Amino acid sequence: MPVKTIDQRRRRILSVTLWGALLNVVLMALKIVSGIFIRSSALVADGVHSFSDLSTDFAVLLGTRISDKPADETHPYGHRRFETLASQFIAIVLFVISVGLIWSAGVSIYNHEYNYPGFLILVIAGISVIAKEIIFSITRRISQETGSPALYANAWHHRSDALSSIAVLIGGVASLFGWGQADHIATILVGFMIMGVAGKIFYECLIELSEQSADKESIQKIESILAEDNDISNWHALRTRRLGGELSVDVHILVNPDLSVMKSHE
């Protein structure tokens, strides 16, 4: 169901982001404390990833709040670009975390460090996968309904956390069968998964900031609307661009010469 007002949009984004933040606090504490207890670097890394989700939750809230401000003298097209910048911040945070995880695990493998975290890691990772997939599905749906790129990026941050927990889960199973470096290998897999998501989000933000036009389907819909209006005799110079969750359209139209000045203006 599309969101029709700015207040509705803000409330829905606020609600799902706060629920996500609460989940991140719980999972972060569970993973880090348990990871330290069972000496699992992969689980601690997964907990750090959940902690990074908190920073991106706040980035979404801040970016959305600023982007919903009406246009003014200094920003005649509104403030939607701030939401795109918030999405880029999320991507950068994800990339930095991924590099740190890969480096840390690589050093552990080089130093021939072995670890056998036990059955508890499977339970915690399983809980994380289920919880994160649920919040990912809800957040992605609301991001599509509200047209929020920052919320969409945050949804994929939730998904990347679920994927990282799957890698931890696989590594935990392998360690139960006696592979002492499976935990470190799982950490590296987590790092590359996060890096891929970060690259995808950052690229999409660059495309928007480069003023790329709307997709062909959207342009065809706009052209169809212009063609069906009987008061428009002709049109040209159609230009489109993305502004956060909105589509900005500029077009020159020629109206029916028999129309009144007031009707032509409308």
Side-chain angles (χ1 to χ4, degrees):
M1 179 178 177
V3 177
K4 297 181 179 180
T5 68
I6 291 178
D7 286 339
Q8 287 178 330
R9 181 179 187 270
R10 186 184 295 115
R11 282 197 300 269
R12 299 199 68 184
I13 292 175
L14 175 64
S15 177
V16 72
T17 303
L18 288 178
W19 276 110
L22 178 60
L23 177 62
N24 287 328
V25 169
V26 173
L27 290 177
M28 175 193 67
L30 181 63
K31 292 175 183 178
I32 292 179
V33 172
S34 300
I36 294 174
F37 178 74
I38 63 178
R39 298 181 180 179
S40 170
S41 62
L43 195 56
V44 171
D46 204 18
V48 173
H49 187 193
S50 294
F51 175 74
S52 75
D53 277 1
L54 278 176
S55 65
T56 60
D57 288 334
F58 286 118
V60 169
L61 294 174
L62 180 61
T64 302
R65 184 176 181 83
I66 296 175
S67 69
D68 282 340
K69 291 173 61 179
D72 53 31
E73 292 183 0
T74 58
H75 298 85
Y77 288 96
H79 299 77
R80 292 294 183 187
R81 289 286 188 235
F82 285 97
E83 196 166 344
T84 306
L85 293 176
S87 301
Q88 283 196 315
F89 171 76
I90 293 173
I92 293 171
V93 170
L94 285 170
F95 183 81
V96 171
I97 289 171
S98 67
V99 172
L101 294 178
I102 294 169
W103 175 264
S104 176
V107 170
S108 296
I109 293 174
Y110 180 79
N111 292 330
H112 301 287
E113 298 176 6
Y114 300 95
N115 188 34
Y116 303 92
F119 183 76
L120 183 59
I121 191 175
L122 305 184
V123 176
I124 297 172
I127 292 173
S128 178
V129 171
I130 295 172
K132 278 297 187 173
E133 275 299 302
I134 292 173
I135 195 67
F136 161 73
S137 298
I138 296 173
T139 304
R140 184 179 62 171
R141 174 172 55 81
I142 294 179
S143 73
Q144 293 170 342
E145 293 172 355
T146 58
S148 171
L151 192 62
Y152 180 78
N154 206 31
W156 277 99
H157 200 168
H158 290 311
R159 165 57 68 84
S160 70
D161 204 4
L163 292 175
S164 69
S165 294
I166 290 176
V168 173
L169 193 64
I170 295 173
V173 171
S175 68
L176 291 178
F177 286 93
W179 189 12
Q181 289 189 332
D183 196 56
H184 306 312
I185 297 296
T187 304
I188 293 176
L189 290 175
V190 169
F192 279 113
M193 287 177 183
I194 298 172
M195 188 179 290
V197 172
K200 178 179 183 294
I201 294 172
F202 195 82
Y203 174 75
E204 290 176 351
C205 289
L206 286 181
I207 291 297
E208 181 176 328
L209 291 175
S210 68
E211 303 287 343
Q212 186 182 53
S213 63
D215 57 274
K216 291 183 179 180
E217 183 180 354
S218 297
I219 293 176
Q220 288 174 352
K221 288 182 179 179
I222 295 170
E223 292 175 343
S224 177
I225 292 172
L226 292 170
E228 292 173 359
D229 194 324
N230 295 327
D231 290 332
I232 297 177
S233 60
N234 203 349
W235 58 270
H236 62 277
L238 173 64
R239 295 176 295 177
T240 62
R241 59 174 175 167
R242 293 287 179 185
L243 285 173
E246 295 183 345
L247 178 63
S248 176
V249 180
D250 295 319
V251 61
H252 295 177
I253 64 172
L254 302 177
V255 298
N256 190 318
D258 296 328
L259 295 179
S260 66
V261 174
M262 181 177 293
K263 182 65 176 176
S264 297
H265 181 69
E266 293 174 355

